[in-house]
Structure formats: C-alpha cells, structure tokens
Amino acid sequence: MIYQIAYWSKASYPMSLMALDKLVEESEKNNRQKQITGLLLYGDNTFFQFLEGDYRTIESLYDKITQDERHYRATRIGQWCVNSRIFSQWSMGFIKLPSPNQTEKFTQYQRWGSQQFLEAPLEIRRLLLHYADLAFIEELKTRTI
Ligand SMILES: Cc1cc2nc3c(=O)[nH]c(=O)nc-3n(C[C@H](O)[C@H](O)[C@H](O)COP(=O)(O)O)c2cc1C
C-alpha cells in the first residue's frame, strides 16, 4: 500500500528562483533515498505539496517539513492509502505557477477548509492529475532543449 498526504502552507518570504531550486534539489535527493515521490507547487507565496510513500517515512518527513522556517501555517488537507503511486517518476516534481490562470485554480483549492478537502479526494486527484500533466509537459520541454 502507498500512503499519500497533501498539505498547503504559506511561504515565510517570497521565494527566489535560487531558493526554490535549492529546496527542490535537497528534497529530490532525500526523497529518492527514501523512495518518496510527489509534487510541489509554488505560487502566490503559497506551497502545495503532495507526498507518497511508506506511512512512517511520509509522516516523519511531514513532521520535519512543518518545522521548516521557510514556510508556516502548514495545513494538512488529507491522507489516503492507495494501491499505486501517481507520481512514480518524480522524487519531487516541482512547478512554479506562472500565469494568473493556473494560480487561480490552485488558490481556489487552498481556500477550502480541510474538511471539504477530506470529503473530496476525487477533486484532489483531479487537481494533482492536472498538474501531473503540466509536469510532464515541462519535462518534455526540457528534454527537447
Ligand atoms: C515547502 C517545503 C517542502 C519540502 N519538501 C521536502 C521534501 O519533499 N523532502 C525533503 O527531504 N525535504 C523537504 N523539505 C525540506 C525539509 O524541511 C528539510 O529542510 C530537509 O528535509 C533537510 O533536512 P535534513 O537537513 O535533516 O536532511 C521541504 C521544505 C519546505 C519548506
């Protein structure tokens, strides 16, 4: 069984591209070692992260992440047990949301209370798959350059 969690949080300060790069790089490295996969979105000074892997590994990483001073008010959206990973190829896929259009979709979910999120795992899945598509497109772009 694969354990998944999702949360959102506010960045403590506007993250520069360099700061984001550093964060993603260290996360990728750690996650690869721990067989954790997932996706990190950043836009409007807000993070949204989805993590999947072994239950204990994910819970202890989440504990560590919530203590990170680069963000605050980490709010868990939900957790699920599933048969297979969504982001099997991504130790930490990352997308910086550039256009207001994409950010709008993201903030729309962020405004929901956690209860609403818990009641709507399908919606979360749609959101993640939407971004999984984008991540895939981003990867294709870097491959062709
Ligand atoms: C929004 C956000 C997401 C993070 N995601 C991860 C992650 O997926 N994996 C990870 O190892 N660290 C992540 N971190 C960083 C951890 O908080 C921590 O700095 C990192 O695991 C290094 O810890 P260490 O020095 O004990 O190895 C994240 C930090 C923030 C602010």
Side-chain angles (χ1 to χ4, degrees):
M1 283 299 254
I2 301 292
Y3 182 66
Q4 306 173 317
I5 67 169
Y7 73 89
W8 66 269
S9 63
K10 296 302 287 180
S12 305
Y13 43 85
M15 299 286 288
S16 66
L17 275 179
M18 247 171 77
L20 288 168
D21 263 4
K22 187 169 165 261
L23 171 61
V24 173
E25 204 177 298
E26 70 174 339
S27 302
E28 272 181 338
K29 196 167 143 248
N30 286 344
N31 293 0
R32 203 170 302 125
Q33 278 167 5
K34 295 178 185 158
Q35 294 177 342
I36 294 173
T37 49
L39 178 72
L40 179 66
L41 305 178
Y42 176 76
D44 281 349
N45 290 338
T46 304
F47 289 107
F48 174 93
Q49 192 172 27
F50 177 82
L51 294 162
E52 50 189 12
D54 167 73
Y55 170 79
R56 273 169 216 259
T57 320
I58 294 292
E59 282 296 333
S60 78
L61 175 63
Y62 181 67
D63 261 3
K64 194 201 266 181
I65 291 176
T66 54
Q67 287 160 35
D68 197 306
E69 289 178 355
R70 286 170 282 191
H71 66 167
Y72 64 98
R73 213 196 297 150
T75 307
R76 193 193 283 238
I77 294 158
Q79 57 268 309
W80 309 272
C81 273
V82 293
N83 286 323
S84 58
R85 293 174 190 255
I86 299 184
F87 294 96
S88 51
Q89 303 302 316
W90 294 80
S91 48
M92 190 37 60
F94 173 71
I95 301 173
K96 186 166 186 293
L97 302 170
S99 73
N101 182 1
Q102 287 175 29
T103 314
E104 193 185 302
K105 185 166 174 109
F106 176 41
T107 48
Q108 170 200 329
Y109 284 86
Q110 178 205 318
R111 275 198 300 272
W112 285 16
S114 12
Q115 192 53 39
Q116 281 164 295
F117 262 114
L118 280 176
E119 284 164 8
L122 233 184
E123 280 300 300
I124 292 271
R125 245 149 238 276
R126 281 205 197 103
L127 173 78
L128 291 169
L129 289 171
H130 171 78
Y131 287 114
D133 281 351
L134 284 179
F136 183 63
I137 292 163
E138 282 303 309
E139 199 196 33
L140 280 183
K141 270 196 217 150
T142 57
R143 270 196 218 151
T144 51
I145 285 168

